[in-house]
């Protein structure tokens, strides 16, 4: 896709090509407990990007010789389905891009999970991107965060992620595939939103310090919006579980 000319990504009215304002998220929908055979699971949709995350554990390490006496091991597998997005090339779970995402997710949640609570154990994370329309990595991290909550895994705080891009010299949130491919700076960020503590930050573009700080600030604001939506779903899921238990006791 060729890069559009100036002024075409954000209109004079302040609207993007999909009708959103610069700091407006796409519609976010999520559900917990979607896989009854897992210890924790969650599905998440951000716009047209759809992700499924599954958690198993804590359990005995697959390789006992690698067990850590003071904390748990975290393993992550990432699968980008061939029909997920605009790139129809069939990918294996062992290709370089998938391995990079797996490592990124693993490192992000190694910093979030209270690993010392689960010594000599292992937690397995599996992520499937079913459809993508940009900002896949933030959606993956958000889905994993919800799946870990569903599994009852203790974290310092729920992790939330959001992307930001520079379009027509303006920072915009929750970037679509077309916006991400426009050639402007693109920055996915994951954080503990309540404390604005950054866990993950990626940016391959050259930016001056002031603009870089601006993009980080906008992205952190996006993580707070995402966290509010996810926490509302967690509360609703908890109410449903409590109601189901009460029904069984009657």
């Amino acid at each position: 896709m060729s890069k559009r000319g100036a002024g075409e990504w954000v209109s004079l009215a302040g609207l993007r090509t999909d009708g959103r304002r610069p700091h407006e998220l796409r519609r976010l929908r999520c559900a917990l407990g979607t896989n009854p055979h897992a210890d924790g699971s969650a599905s998440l949709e951000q716009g047209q990007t759809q992700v499924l995350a599954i958690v198993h554990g804590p359990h005995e390490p697959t390789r006992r010789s690698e067990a850590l006496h003071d904390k748990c091991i975290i393993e992550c597998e990432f699968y980008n389905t061939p029909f997920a997005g605009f790139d129809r090339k069939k990918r294996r779970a062992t290709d370089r891009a998938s391995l990079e995402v797996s490592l990124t997710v693993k490192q992000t949640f190694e910093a979030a999970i209270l690993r010392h609570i689960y010594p000599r154990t292992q937690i397995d994370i599996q992520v499937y991107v079913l459809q993508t329309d940009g900002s896949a990595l933030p959606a993956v991290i958000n889905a994993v965060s919800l799946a870990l909550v569903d599994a009852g895994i203790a974290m310092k705080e729920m992790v939330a992620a959001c992307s930001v891009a520079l379009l027509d010299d303006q920072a915009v949130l929750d970037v679509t595939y077309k916006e991400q491919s426009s050639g402007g700076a693109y920055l996915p960020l994951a954080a503990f939103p309540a404390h604005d503590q950054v866990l993950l930050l990626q940016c391959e573009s050259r930016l001056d310090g002031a603009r870089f700080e601006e993009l980080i600030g906008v992205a952190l604001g996006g993580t707070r919006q995402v966290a509010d939506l996810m926490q509302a779903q967690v509360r609703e899921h908890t109410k449903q579980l409590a109601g189901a238990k009460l029904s069984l006791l009657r």
Side-chain angles (χ1 to χ4, degrees), residues 173-246:
L173 273 181
D174 196 10
V175 184
T176 65
Y177 175 80
K178 289 183 179 180
E179 292 172 334
Q180 189 174 334
S181 305
S182 68
Y186 170 73
L187 188 153
L189 180 146
F192 292 141
H195 298 90
D196 284 349
Q197 181 180 346
V198 176
L199 300 178
L200 165 70
L201 175 62
Q202 294 181 348
C203 183
E204 297 180 356
S205 301
R206 287 188 175 183
L207 297 167
D208 62 61
R211 180 49 60 88
F212 187 58
E213 289 183 7
E214 177 194 353
L215 291 181
I216 291 176
V218 172
L220 285 171
T223 65
R224 290 191 289 271
Q225 293 185 55
V226 170
D228 288 342
L229 294 169
M230 294 199 302
Q231 287 168 358
Q233 184 58 43
V234 170
R235 289 192 292 269
E236 181 62 28
H237 181 68
T238 302
K239 288 180 182 178
Q240 292 175 358
L241 289 178
K245 289 181 180 179
L246 286 173

Side-chain angles (χ1 to χ4, degrees), residues 91-156:
R91 297 184 183 274
R92 298 180 179 179
T94 54
D95 70 36
R96 181 175 178 180
S98 297
L99 290 174
E100 287 179 353
V101 175
S102 297
L103 180 60
T104 298
V105 173
K106 171 184 168 72
Q107 292 175 339
T108 299
F109 287 97
E110 281 180 341
I113 294 172
L114 296 174
R115 298 170 64 197
H116 65 278
I117 296 179
Y118 312 105
R120 300 183 181 87
T121 64
Q122 178 175 321
I123 296 172
D124 297 323
I125 299 170
Q126 297 173 333
V127 191
Y128 301 85
V129 174
L130 307 178
Q131 181 173 312
T132 182
D133 184 24
S135 301
L137 180 57
V140 163
I141 291 172
N142 292 332
V144 171
S145 187
L146 289 170
L148 288 168
V149 170
D150 186 48
I153 305 296
M155 292 186 284
K156 298 174 185 176

Side-chain angles (χ1 to χ4, degrees), residues 69-82:
H69 74 279
D70 60 342
K71 56 189 174 184
C72 68
I73 299 168
I74 297 176
E75 297 292 343
C76 180
E77 294 180 341
F78 171 81
Y79 301 92
N80 195 14
T81 56

Side-chain angles (χ1 to χ4, degrees), residues 18-124:
D18 59 3
R20 287 183 293 148
R21 298 194 178 278
H23 294 180
E24 184 178 351
L25 300 177
R26 293 176 292 180
R27 182 179 180 182
L28 190 150
R29 295 183 292 184
C30 52
L32 284 74
T34 54
N35 187 328
H37 303 293
D39 294 306
S41 59
S43 61
L44 181 138
E45 298 180 19
Q46 285 186 240
Q48 298 300 316
T49 298
Q50 300 178 14
V51 178
L52 172 66
I54 296 172
V55 171
H56 294 283
H59 59 79
E60 186 174 318
T62 305
R63 295 177 291 275
R64 293 186 182 182
S65 60
E66 297 182 6
L68 302 176
H69 74 279
D70 60 342
K71 56 189 174 184
C72 68
I73 299 168
I74 297 176
E75 297 292 343
C76 180
E77 294 180 341
F78 171 81
Y79 301 92
N80 195 14
T81 56
F83 51 83
F86 297 90
D87 181 6
R88 300 295 179 178
K89 181 180 178 181
K90 186 175 181 180
R91 297 184 183 274
R92 298 180 179 179
T94 54
D95 70 36
R96 181 175 178 180
S98 297
L99 290 174
E100 287 179 353
V101 175
S102 297
L103 180 60
T104 298
V105 173
K106 171 184 168 72
Q107 292 175 339
T108 299
F109 287 97
E110 281 180 341
I113 294 172
L114 296 174
R115 298 170 64 197
H116 65 278
I117 296 179
Y118 312 105
R120 300 183 181 87
T121 64
Q122 178 175 321
I123 296 172
D124 297 323

